[in-house]
Amino acid sequence: MASPTEAHYIIESSVHDFRIDGRSRLEHRPYSVGTRRSKLNNHKINDASPCLILSNGSSRIHLPGSSTDILCSVKADLVRPSPNKPNEGVVEISVDSSLAGGLDLSLGGGGGGGVTAARRQLRERESQITSLLQRLVVPHAVNYRELAVCPGKYVWRLCVDVVVLRCDGCVLDGCAMAMREGLRSTLLPRVSAVVNGEDGASSGVGYQAGSSNNDLIVEGDIRKALPPPGVEDCPLVVTVAVLSAPQGAGGRVRHVCVVDARTEEEACASSRVCVSVDPKGMVCGVHTLGGGGMEDRMEEEYGGLGLGISSSMPVNMLGDVVNTAAGAAKNLYGMLDREKELSNGKDLLTDDHDASGYGYLLKSRFLIQ
C-alpha cells in the first residue's frame, strides 16, 4: 500500500490532469487484444476463430510494459434448457486469479493472517468478480432466445472461463474486456434438429423445429459457423475511481474522477463506481465499491483537519460519474476495435517461433491429453 505522501502525490497529480503514468484522467491504457485469425479456402473469417485448443472462442487482454495479462476461454455445448426458461440459452462465467500470485487485485480490503487467510481472501475476490460480471455483463452479453436450437429441448450453453495471470488495477474492467472479446471470437456450428415427417422418415430442419426426436445434425463446415447472436451488443465495464482531497486553505473536500486506475490509484480512491455500458452508449448497470483503505492515513497526511474523507461520495456526483464512464466507454470501444483491426491475421496468443509463449504451453498440454 502506498504511503500517505505517495497517496498525496497521486491525488494531486490526478487533480492537475497529469497522472503518474502520464495519462489524463479519462484516458485508458493501450490494451492489446489477442485473437487468432484463420484462413479457409483463401478467405478470411470476419470473426476470430478459437485461439486455444478445445475452445470455441478465446481472447487475451494484454497491456504491454505492465503487469496485466488476462486470458478468456469460451466452451459451447448443447444442453437441456432450464425448466424456468425453456426457450433461452445459458451463459456461465467463472474467474480464476490464483495464478496472479501476490498481486493485490484491489476489489476488497486489505487483510492478513497467513496462507489460509490469503487463500480465503483470494476466493472471496474471485467470487466478487464473478458476481459483478453476472450482474453487469452476463444479462446483456447475448440474445438468449436465439441460443435455443430446439426450444424446450436443446439450447446452447456458453461456459466462459477467465484466468487472471497478472493485473495492475481495474481487474473487473479487464475481465469484462476479455469476456466480451472471447464471446465475439466464438464460433457456433450450425445445428439442425431431426423431425419425423408424415411418412415416418426423418429429415434435417433448421433451428425452429416444431416436433423432433432426440437426434441433431451438426454442420461440420466451419465457414458456416456463426458467432452467438447479439454478441456485438455485449457491454464493457468502466470503473470510475473517485479521489478526494482538500481544496485550498478552507479545508473543503474536492473530488476528482479517473478511469482505468492503476493499483496505486485504486488504493487512494475514496470510492469506486463500476458502470456497465453497451456499444450504443446505454448504461446497463451500476455498482459501487468501497475505497482503497487509505482514508484514515490521508487524514493524517492533511494534518488531521477532520475533513471527513471516507469511503463515500456526494450523491449529486453519481450522475457525473455515470456520464464520465459512458464517455470513457465510447473511447474504449473505439480503441479495442482499432486494435482488433490492426491485429487482423496476427496471432498474439500462439507463436510458432516462440516456444515460451502461453499458446505453446497450452497446445502441448492439450495435445498430450
Side-chain angles (χ1 to χ4, degrees):
M1 182 178 291
S3 66
T5 303
E6 293 172 331
H8 174 75
Y9 175 78
I10 292 173
I11 293 175
E12 291 298 325
S13 63
S14 298
V15 169
H16 291 84
D17 203 16
F18 191 79
R19 295 157 70 176
I20 55 178
D21 54 5
R23 290 180 292 149
S24 63
R25 289 192 293 262
L26 305 182
E27 185 179 356
H28 277 84
R29 287 169 286 185
Y31 289 97
S32 175
V33 181
T35 55
R36 181 179 181 180
R37 305 279 181 163
S38 296
K39 291 183 179 180
L40 293 175
N41 295 335
N42 297 324
H43 288 84
K44 286 187 177 180
I45 298 178
N46 293 328
D47 297 284
S49 59
C51 295
L52 304 179
I53 298 177
L54 303 183
S55 295
N56 293 82
S58 59
S59 67
R60 173 190 177 190
I61 300 298
H62 176 63
L63 190 60
S66 180
S67 55
T68 296
D69 207 349
I70 301 176
L71 288 177
C72 176
S73 173
V74 181
K75 183 66 182 299
D77 53 357
L78 290 170
V79 298
R80 297 285 185 177
S82 169
N84 298 328
K85 298 180 179 180
N87 299 327
E88 296 184 7
V90 182
V91 175
E92 298 177 352
I93 176 73
S94 65
V95 178
D96 182 7
S97 61
S98 59
L99 298 178
L103 290 178
D104 184 8
L105 298 182
S106 299
L107 270 178
V115 177
T116 303
R119 290 178 178 174
R120 181 172 61 253
Q121 185 182 26
L122 178 64
R123 297 310 173 194
E124 291 175 355
R125 290 174 177 173
E126 291 175 348
S127 177
Q128 184 180 18
I129 298 172
T130 303
S131 176
L132 290 176
L133 290 175
Q134 289 174 341
R135 295 172 57 185
L136 298 177
V137 180
V138 171
H140 316 279
V142 296
N143 188 334
Y144 287 88
R145 286 190 172 272
E146 295 295 328
L147 289 181
V149 174
C150 184
K153 294 188 176 182
Y154 290 105
V155 298
W156 282 110
R157 179 179 64 184
L158 305 179
C159 299
V160 183
D161 297 311
V162 179
V163 180
V164 182
L165 302 178
R166 297 175 297 173
C167 189
D168 184 14
C170 283
V171 61
L172 180 63
D173 301 23
C175 291
M177 281 189 283
M179 178 179 176
R180 181 177 187 271
E181 297 303 323
L183 287 172
R184 291 180 67 191
S185 70
T186 300
L187 292 177
L188 300 179
R190 182 173 177 81
V191 180
S192 302
V194 178
V195 300
N196 293 324
E198 296 180 355
D199 56 354
S202 297
S203 60
V205 298
Y207 291 107
Q208 306 297 330
S211 60
S212 66
N213 53 26
N214 294 327
D215 294 333
L216 296 173
I217 299 176
V218 179
E219 177 64 55
D221 191 350
I222 193 173
R223 292 174 297 179
K224 297 182 180 181
L226 297 173
V231 71
E232 291 299 327
D233 294 329
C234 181
L236 291 174
V237 176
V238 176
T239 300
V240 180
V242 180
L243 307 180
S244 304
Q247 181 178 7
R252 181 181 177 182
V253 178
R254 56 186 173 179
H255 303 278
V256 61
C257 299
V258 299
V259 301
D260 193 21
R262 298 181 59 180
T263 304
E264 300 89 343
E265 295 173 323
E266 286 186 325
C268 302
S270 60
S271 181
R272 284 167 293 164
V273 182
C274 305
V275 184
S276 174
V277 185
D278 67 8
K280 300 178 182 178
M282 302 297 293
V283 176
C284 302
V286 179
H287 183 86
T288 58
L289 296 171
M294 289 288 296
E295 293 81 11
D296 295 337
R297 302 177 69 182
M298 288 305 299
E299 287 280 1
E300 298 176 0
E301 173 64 19
Y302 288 110
L305 300 177
L307 300 175
I309 298 177
S310 60
S311 298
S312 61
M313 67 177 181
V315 66
N316 56 3
M317 275 195 64
L318 185 58
D320 296 335
V321 169
V322 173
N323 291 334
T324 298
K330 181 179 180 181
N331 298 331
L332 181 59
Y333 278 114
M335 182 184 69
L336 293 179
D337 290 339
R338 289 192 300 269
E339 173 63 27
K340 195 168 185 180
E341 291 177 0
L342 291 175
S343 62
N344 186 19
K346 181 179 180 182
D347 187 353
L348 299 180
L349 251 180
T350 59
D351 189 351
D352 294 336
H353 303 286
D354 183 10
S356 61
Y358 296 111
Y360 180 83
L361 296 176
L362 294 174
K363 182 177 180 181
S364 298
R365 176 169 295 184
F366 284 124
L367 285 180
I368 292 176
Q369 292 182 351

